Amino acid sequence: MLFNQITKGAINWDDFAAIGMHQVAKLYNEMLIDLLNLPEHKTIETITQYGNLASNSFPFQLETALLEGRVREGDKFAFIGLGGGISTGFGAFQL
């Protein structure tokens, strides 16, 4: 159901309680936030304190958002994955 809302344009970044991203470097975060027009206050920034967490980015950022009270049951959480070259991925979840 969430996928249908996204593909039909019935949902946008403002509908997500928090947005996680695979974080390679702070500069890339800033570029991605600008490129995708993400609300920066909803992103979970971890690169500065913990470095590149690779495949652990998603569970770590989700746990961080939960512990900080930024997401709770019923909220929508998005995750943007990046890979080498032009590989990207996107996941949307309702807790």
Side-chain angles (χ1 to χ4, degrees):
M1 178 156 59
L2 187 56
F3 179 75
N4 289 337
Q5 291 175 328
I6 292 168
T7 57
K8 292 178 182 176
I11 195 169
N12 61 48
W13 294 126
D14 292 329
D15 296 312
F16 291 93
I19 303 164
M21 300 181 291
H22 171 62
Q23 299 176 19
V24 178
K26 187 159 178 62
L27 177 62
Y28 288 129
N29 284 13
E30 294 165 357
M31 291 170 53
L32 190 60
I33 287 168
D34 287 341
L35 179 67
L36 298 177
N37 199 27
L38 300 174
E40 187 171 1
H41 68 281
K42 291 190 177 198
T43 63
I44 310 296
E45 196 273 326
T46 55
I47 188 76
T48 304
Q49 187 171 1
Y50 300 102
N52 183 345
L53 297 171
S55 62
N56 291 319
S57 294
F58 171 65
F60 186 80
Q61 290 177 19
L62 179 57
E63 180 70 11
T64 298
L66 286 164
L67 290 173
E68 291 176 355
R70 296 175 68 177
V71 294
R72 57 183 171 269
E73 187 175 344
D75 285 345
K76 293 176 183 72
F77 180 81
F79 185 77
I80 302 165
L82 306 170
I86 58 171
S87 301
T88 60
F90 173 76
F93 310 89
Q94 187 159 6
L95 305 176

